């Protein structure tokens, strides 16, 4: 029994789920999104990795193995999805720089470079090689960021420390939303008389006004300023999540928090409803179609048992990369752990193969053969498959 | 889930409103699962900062692993409360029900006294913040004014909660009239404070005594075929979650299975009995502030679904921020700065939407937001009644 009937229910509030949900809402459908908790996107750098295998991301995709699900998305859809994404985030005051023509580099908190495609505008000025002259600002007591790592790798880097009065990422970021705090920070920076070309700051420049804050600092110091993504709590990841979430809601989507799906109602080849154990008693939501975007192991979509891997919501058949011995490489930092290929195999319409139901679509990191780390296809893959699965879902409903 | 399921991802920390503005609170991860490893029943609790947690439950809603940091902290708060003397403010707010009963009986005097300078000074001496006016007691409580009739087939036992009973009985009367207009019988079962204020002030024993009485009373109504309807989201969370959880009240499961949020219930009626509420146009632009405990009820935002049915109404949902008051939390002097900073932030976000008024299910959210913004703050039911043409008649 359900109180409200939706056209589509999305399971999972990550980048893939929110992209699919917002796209379907934009088509005039009644969409709800249910989620157990907040997504791993909040822990990410906020950068949109499309494919890091080559300087040209589209070319990189073309060279991915044949069974990679990226091949199911046309390059037109990938382009469209990323364009849409950039427009959405610009409207949410968190513009993204870059394009599909070529990948960019972002300086990491340990002084290495990360290859990505689109970056938040706050990382636009991130150096592209180790010779650039940068001055790093860190904050007294902030234990999640050590400029020493970067300085050991950069010949022309120096640092100074600002006392923000608080020493946590969240606390400092919240303070930056206050104009007086920002002004004091800028005045202090001016007094430092830095001669370096660029100023680097760990990613704590505000909760949602980061783009405006960085612009103001750049204007006053007359030189580029950029954020360096930190370990969680990661502000750029949270801004990405907030932007996509607010956009989904503005399009008319409804979000159900604290909704781990514990049961499914089915008739014949249709899934009718998903059920959650909410406070007190089970609650169910009906829909005509469902999109599964629960992510892989960390996101909570997949669970590894001793000898098998299960998909937690619908118990869909999971592609398991051989026996348990084949799941892991001997080298911990290897990119070839077999487990990275586990997931749901889908056909060209993003329906799971060998599936008993017709009205379910799958997108994002839970797809089999993704190998997100190895191929450097993270949020970009989620955005592309999110939109592609949503298109299939719309065709199905019509 | 046990604290051992925590993977240290810090998503809860990102969601903690108190952690954002009060450096004295180490955040839900450290105060919850991390510190839990070092807590022992045999040792006296020393970490006074557990009291800084406002129990908004945002950490629990955000945790991807099903860990309940707020619940872990709540238990630590109870232990701390047992082992340490309570301050005047804690004692008063835990006993809010008795205080309010007295306040209502002497409403004309009590209200006037609370607004005087001396009154405010005395409050401050006791550790009570006075940055927003204390809510006004209503001389006629809801209990005192409503008589029940019984003819219809669907019957509702209304758990109105202290806020409506003592401060805003007019909203309670509107709710009853609205339900009656859907051909539903409404009775007011004997009831006490839900127990949440006592729990929030570290007084588990008092909370359990309230809860036990409520369960005994409500369970008779469930047996007689009544559905229980609550309207205060915090009362609801307490009935559904805490009675079975930390309070371990026998028979609480039956209450939880048969209790509904008012708007959830109306949606259920629309789906099951095909009532069609004749919603008329309401030309308003509203900012719907979602109370933390409505989120924590895990039923979605039913009032938002209902308000979508009202022609002409524009309603922007804002659910990312806690208003900061958290019932009696913000009224305590030690939390005043936290409450003010959080409230100010919510108000500035509301003002950005260009809304003409605020709507929120929770009485204490409305008190805080109206007090800080100078805007009107409505209960969603007031908007529904405006659309349905239902007025409060005494």
């Amino acid at each position: 029994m359900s109180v409200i009937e939706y056209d589509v229910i999305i399971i999972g509030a990550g980048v893939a789920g929110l992209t699919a949900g917002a796209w379907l809402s934009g088509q005039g459908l009644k969409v709800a999104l249910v989620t157990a908790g907040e997504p791993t996107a909040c822990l990410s750098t906020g950068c949109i990795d499309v494919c890091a295998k080559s300087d040209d991301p589209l070319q990189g995709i073309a060279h991915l193995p044949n069974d990679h699900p990226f091949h199911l998305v046309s390059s037109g859809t990938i382009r469209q999805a990323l364009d849409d994404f950039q427009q959405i985030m610009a409207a949410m005051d968190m513009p993204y720089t870059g394009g599909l023509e070529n990948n960019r580099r972002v300086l990491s908190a340990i002084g290495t470079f990360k290859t990505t495609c689109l970056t938040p505008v706050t990382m636009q000025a991130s150096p592209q090689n180790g010779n650039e002259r940068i001055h790093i600002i860190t904050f007294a007591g902030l234990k999640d960021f050590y400029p020493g790592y970067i300085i050991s790798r950069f010949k022309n880097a120096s640092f100074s420390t600002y006392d923000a009065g608080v020493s946590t990422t969240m606390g400092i970021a919240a303070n930056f939303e206050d104009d007086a705090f920002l002004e004091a920070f800028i005045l202090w920076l001016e007094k430092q008389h830095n001669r370096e070309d660029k100023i680097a700051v760990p990613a704590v420049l505000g909760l949602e006004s980061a783009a405006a804050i960085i612009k103001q600092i750049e204007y006053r110091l007359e030189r580029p300023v950029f954020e360096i993504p930190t370990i969680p709590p990661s502000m750029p990841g949270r801004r990405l999540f907030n932007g996509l979430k607010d956009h989904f809601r503005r399009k008319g989507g409804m979000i159900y928090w604290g909704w781990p799906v514990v049961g499914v109602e089915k008739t014949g080849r249709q899934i009718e409803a998903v059920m959650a154990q909410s406070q007190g008693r089970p609650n169910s939501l009906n829909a005509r179609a469902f999109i599964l975007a629960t992510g892989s192991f960390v996101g909570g979509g997949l669970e590894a048992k001793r000898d098998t891997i299960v998909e937690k919501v619908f118990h869909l058949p999971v592609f398991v990369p051989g026996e348990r011995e084949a799941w892991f490489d001997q080298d911990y930092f290897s990119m070839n752990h077999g487990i990275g290929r586990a997931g749901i195999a889908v056909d060209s319409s993003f329906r799971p193969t060998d599936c008993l139901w017709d009205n379910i679509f799958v997108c994002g990191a839970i797809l089999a053969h993704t190998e997100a780390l190895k191929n450097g296809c993270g949020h970009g893959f989620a955005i592309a498959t999110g939109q592609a699965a949503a298109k299939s879902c719309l065709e199905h409903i019509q | 889930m046990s604290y051992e399921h925590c993977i240290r991802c810090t998503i809860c920390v990102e969601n903690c409103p108190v952690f954002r503005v009060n450096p004295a609170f180490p955040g839900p991860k450290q105060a919850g699962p991390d510190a839990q490893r070092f807590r022992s029943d045999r040792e006296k609790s020393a970490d006074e900062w557990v009291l800084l947690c406002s129990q908004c439950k945002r950490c629990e809603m955000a945790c991807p692993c099903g860990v309940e940091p707020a619940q872990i902290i709540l238990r630590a708060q109870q232990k701390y409360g047992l082992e340490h003397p309570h301050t005047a403010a804690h004692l008063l707010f835990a006993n809010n029900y008795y205080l309010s009963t007295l306040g209502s009986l002497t409403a004309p005097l009590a209200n006037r006294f609370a607004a005087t300078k001396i009154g405010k000074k005395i409050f401050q001496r006791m550790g009570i913040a006075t940055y927003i006016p204390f809510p006004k007691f209503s001389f006629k409580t809801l209990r005192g004014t409503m008589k029940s009739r019984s003819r219809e087939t669907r019957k509702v036992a209304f758990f109105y909660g202290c806020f409506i009973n003592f401060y805003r009985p007019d909203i309670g009367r509107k709710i009853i009239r609205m339900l009656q207009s859907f051909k539903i019988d409404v009775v007011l079962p004997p009831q006490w404070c839900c127990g949440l204020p006592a729990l929030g002030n570290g007084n588990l024993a008092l909370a359990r005594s309230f809860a036990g009485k409520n369960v005994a009373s409500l369970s008779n109504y469930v047996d007689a075929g009544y559905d229980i309807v609550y309207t205060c989201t915090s009362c609801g969370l307490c009935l559904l979650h805490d009675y079975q959880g930390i309070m371990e009240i026998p028979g609480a499961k039956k209450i939880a299975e048969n209790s509904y949020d008012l708007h959830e219930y109306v949606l259920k009626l629309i789906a099951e009995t095909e009532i069609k509420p004749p919603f008329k146009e309401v030309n308003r632009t509203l900012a719907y502030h979602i109370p933390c405990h409505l989120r924590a009820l895990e039923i979605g935002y039913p009032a938002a679904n209902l308000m979508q049915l009202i022609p002409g109404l524009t309603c922007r949902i804002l659910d990312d921020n806690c208003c900061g008051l958290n019932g009696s939390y913000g009224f305590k002097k030690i939390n005043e700065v936290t409450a003010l900073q959080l409230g100010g932030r919510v108000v500035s976000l509301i003002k950005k939407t260009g809304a003409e008024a605020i709507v929120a299910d929770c009485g204490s959210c409305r008190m805080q937001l109206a007090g800080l913004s100078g805007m009107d703050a409505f209960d969603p039911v007031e908007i529904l009644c405006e659309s349905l043409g239902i007025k409060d008649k005494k």
Side-chain angles (χ1 to χ4, degrees):
Chain A
M1 194 282 303
S2 157
V3 171
I4 316 147
E5 172 103 20
Y6 288 98
D7 290 320
V8 183
I9 286 175
I10 320 270
I11 302 143
V15 175
L18 287 168
T19 302
W23 192 87
L24 287 165
S25 300
Q27 303 294 317
L29 297 188
K30 208 171 161 189
V31 184
L33 188 150
V34 303
T35 177
E38 290 193 352
T40 48
C42 296
L43 309 174
S44 74
T45 60
C47 295
I48 308 299
D49 306 355
V50 176
C51 180
K53 293 296 258 186
S54 143
D55 280 343
D56 174 346
L58 286 178
Q59 200 146 31
I61 292 171
H63 289 122
L64 288 174
N66 284 335
D67 51 9
H68 197 283
F70 231 141
H71 295 305
L72 302 174
V73 193
S74 71
S75 57
T77 302
I78 298 176
R79 227 172 256 287
Q80 184 64 51
L82 287 167
D83 275 355
D84 289 355
F85 169 79
Q86 275 178 300
Q87 276 179 24
I88 291 164
M89 293 308 286
M92 293 292 156
D93 301 325
M94 190 64 242
Y96 269 68
T97 346
L100 268 177
E101 302 73 44
N102 57 294
N103 276 324
R104 306 166 59 79
R105 300 172 89 189
V106 166
L107 179 63
S108 79
I110 53 168
T112 56
F113 288 102
K114 168 188 166 60
T115 305
T116 186
C117 183
L118 308 180
T119 65
V121 74
T122 60
M123 298 174 201
Q124 185 171 16
S126 201
Q128 300 296 304
N129 63 63
N131 297 322
E132 291 193 36
R133 285 156 45 88
I134 60 171
H135 184 76
I136 306 161
I137 306 297
T138 186
F139 295 86
L142 177 63
K143 59 184 163 49
D144 295 343
F145 182 77
Y146 296 96
Y149 288 132
I150 300 172
I151 289 169
S152 70
R153 288 188 159 99
F154 267 63
K155 286 189 296 261
N156 305 313
S158 55
F159 83 98
S160 43
T161 308
Y162 182 70
D163 189 350
V166 282
S167 56
T168 60
T169 311
M170 285 306 291
I172 300 171
N175 276 350
F176 267 107
E177 292 291 330
D178 174 19
D179 289 340
F181 180 91
L182 173 61
E183 189 57 32
F185 177 71
I186 293 176
L187 288 177
W188 174 84
L189 265 179
E190 283 175 346
K191 268 195 288 182
Q192 301 301 303
H193 302 294
N194 299 311
R195 289 194 196 84
E196 288 81 357
D197 303 327
K198 289 180 177 178
I199 306 284
V201 187
V204 296
L205 296 179
L207 300 165
E208 66 269 316
S209 324
I213 290 169
I214 216 153
K215 209 168 158 191
Q216 196 172 344
I217 303 174
E218 285 184 331
Y219 173 74
R220 294 279 289 278
L221 290 180
E222 296 176 329
R223 76 193 68 198
V225 178
F226 64 94
E227 280 190 320
I228 299 171
T230 60
I231 60 167
S234 167
M235 289 303 104
R238 173 142 299 270
R239 294 174 200 140
L240 168 69
F241 168 62
N242 279 341
L244 291 176
K245 182 189 67 186
D246 289 350
H247 171 71
F248 170 64
R249 205 174 271 141
R250 276 186 207 180
K251 288 277 170 191
M254 188 63 86
I255 302 180
Y256 290 79
W257 300 106
W259 247 77
V261 177
V262 294
V264 179
E265 290 170 26
K266 317 153 211 174
T267 47
R269 292 192 62 80
Q270 297 288 312
I271 291 173
E272 299 285 341
V274 286
M275 220 183 301
Q277 181 63 46
S278 52
Q279 308 287 1
R281 66 175 164 273
N283 233 318
S284 68
L285 288 175
N286 284 66
R288 292 155 67 195
F290 296 81
I291 293 183
L292 182 72
T294 43
S296 111
F297 296 97
V298 186
L302 297 175
E303 188 182 350
K305 308 270 188 198
R306 186 72 213 158
D307 301 307
T308 177
I309 297 170
V310 290
E311 184 277 304
K312 289 209 293 213
V313 175
F314 297 105
H315 302 290
L316 296 172
V318 177
F319 167 79
V320 181
E323 299 286 309
R324 192 180 170 90
E325 295 79 59
W327 293 3
F328 304 103
D329 198 78
Q330 286 300 314
D331 172 15
Y332 183 80
F333 290 106
S334 156
M335 286 295 178
N336 289 315
H337 293 297
I339 196 102
R341 298 173 61 210
I344 310 295
V346 290
D347 62 18
S348 58
S349 62
F350 288 88
R351 284 186 178 88
T353 46
D354 308 320
C355 176
L356 300 169
W357 308 291
D358 296 327
N359 60 341
I360 173 164
F361 302 85
V362 185
C363 59
I366 195 172
L367 292 172
H369 311 292
T370 305
E371 296 188 280
L373 279 179
K374 179 180 171 185
N375 297 322
C377 56
H379 293 334
F381 176 74
I383 290 168
T385 53
Q387 188 167 116
K391 280 181 177 168
S392 280
C393 180
L394 182 69
E395 271 173 35
H396 167 81
I397 281 184
Q398 284 168 346
Chain B
M1 291 277 182
S2 142
Y3 63 91
E4 284 161 324
H5 289 93
C6 171
I7 60 165
R8 312 281 182 278
C9 74
T10 68
I11 281 183
C12 59
V13 178
E14 292 181 13
N15 277 276
C16 178
V18 178
F19 181 72
R20 231 172 248 188
V21 297
N22 188 353
F25 182 60
K29 181 173 79 76
Q30 280 189 37
D34 284 4
Q36 191 60 25
R37 291 165 184 270
F38 304 102
R39 293 192 180 113
S40 156
D41 287 343
R42 284 167 299 173
E43 282 173 36
K44 204 173 164 186
S45 47
D47 37 4
E48 192 183 355
W49 41 255
V50 289
L51 303 183
L52 295 175
C53 164
S54 69
Q55 286 295 319
C56 71
K57 319 250 187 219
R58 284 184 173 265
C59 47
E60 298 186 357
M61 290 301 99
C63 178
C65 300
V67 179
E68 296 178 324
Q71 192 61 217
I72 296 170
I73 299 170
L74 182 63
R75 283 173 198 270
Q77 286 176 338
Q78 303 312 314
K79 185 162 183 289
Y80 190 91
L82 258 182
E83 294 165 354
H84 296 79
H86 293 225
T87 65
H90 280 95
L91 278 174
L92 279 177
F93 286 123
N95 287 286
N96 187 42
Y97 175 75
Y98 298 117
L99 196 70
S100 301
T101 310
L102 188 69
S104 289
L105 282 174
T106 60
L109 271 175
N111 288 336
R112 218 167 286 167
F113 173 71
T116 58
K117 270 191 189 153
I118 300 173
K120 282 186 181 165
K121 270 225 175 96
I122 293 177
F123 280 147
Q124 283 168 356
R125 273 284 162 77
M126 291 194 298
I128 297 173
T130 52
Y131 67 94
I132 51 170
F134 218 66
K136 279 206 163 47
F137 292 114
S138 171
F139 189 48
K140 284 190 170 169
T141 58
L142 182 65
R143 252 218 104 65
T145 53
M146 289 305 287
K147 297 268 186 311
S148 57
R149 271 159 261 127
S150 192
R151 266 176 224 107
E152 310 289 351
T153 47
R154 248 179 207 270
K155 296 177 286 188
V156 157
F158 181 29
F159 192 87
Y160 40 74
C162 296
F163 188 83
I164 280 194
N165 191 38
F166 296 121
Y167 306 121
R168 293 298 302 273
D170 57 312
I171 294 177
R173 287 190 292 267
K174 279 186 181 171
I175 291 171
I176 294 169
R177 275 181 221 290
M178 184 177 81
L179 288 173
Q180 284 170 343
S181 81
F182 300 150
K183 301 260 175 291
I184 290 171
D185 255 331
V186 185
V187 299
L188 306 177
Q191 55 192 283
W192 293 262
C193 167
C194 66
L196 196 69
L199 201 60
N201 288 289
N203 202 331
L204 182 59
L206 181 63
R208 293 201 71 212
S209 98
F210 280 131
K213 286 196 257 183
N214 281 328
V215 169
S217 163
L218 294 176
S219 118
N220 293 332
Y221 285 84
V222 173
D223 292 342
Y226 285 78
D227 294 319
I228 299 163
V229 167
Y230 58 84
T231 175
C232 168
T233 45
S234 298
C235 292
L237 189 63
C238 195
L239 284 178
L240 268 64
H241 185 71
D242 294 329
Y243 281 15
Q244 291 185 75
I246 186 168
M247 296 194 206
E248 297 172 8
I249 307 294
K253 190 162 185 282
K254 186 165 80 182
I255 307 297
E257 282 167 351
N258 292 285
S259 299
Y260 300 86
D261 167 74
L262 171 69
H263 305 286
E264 181 191 18
Y265 194 69
V266 174
L267 281 173
K268 184 173 134 88
L269 289 176
I270 294 176
E272 283 178 5
T273 63
E274 290 166 356
I275 62 156
K276 284 212 172 74
F279 288 120
K280 302 257 160 43
E281 196 168 314
V282 173
N283 279 312
R284 281 180 185 274
T285 310
L286 301 172
Y288 184 9
H289 170 82
I290 304 289
C292 299
H293 286 175
L294 173 61
R295 244 165 103 97
L297 276 165
E298 300 165 345
I299 52 173
Y301 305 146
N305 291 80
L306 274 179
M307 285 192 284
Q308 273 177 355
L309 303 176
I310 299 178
L313 188 73
T314 318
C315 187
R316 268 286 298 281
I317 295 178
L318 298 158
D319 71 343
D320 284 334
N321 288 284
C322 170
C323 78
L325 189 60
N326 293 289
S328 61
Y329 178 85
F331 274 119
K332 276 169 261 178
K333 204 91 184 89
I334 51 161
N335 301 324
E336 185 177 2
V337 178
T338 304
L340 264 170
Q341 281 183 312
L342 293 176
R345 196 175 149 69
V346 173
V347 167
S348 80
L349 289 171
I350 287 173
K351 296 230 157 128
K352 256 191 210 168
T353 65
E356 64 186 66
I358 302 163
V359 55
D361 305 57
C362 168
S364 99
C365 295
R366 291 199 298 272
M367 217 149 62
Q368 167 92 333
L369 297 177
L372 293 178
S373 69
M375 294 163 78
D376 285 330
F378 299 106
D379 190 298
V381 98
E382 292 181 88
I383 305 297
L384 296 183
C385 285
E386 184 181 336
S387 171
L388 293 168
I390 294 168
K391 292 197 177 71
D392 168 39
K393 278 174 271 170
K394 285 189 184 171

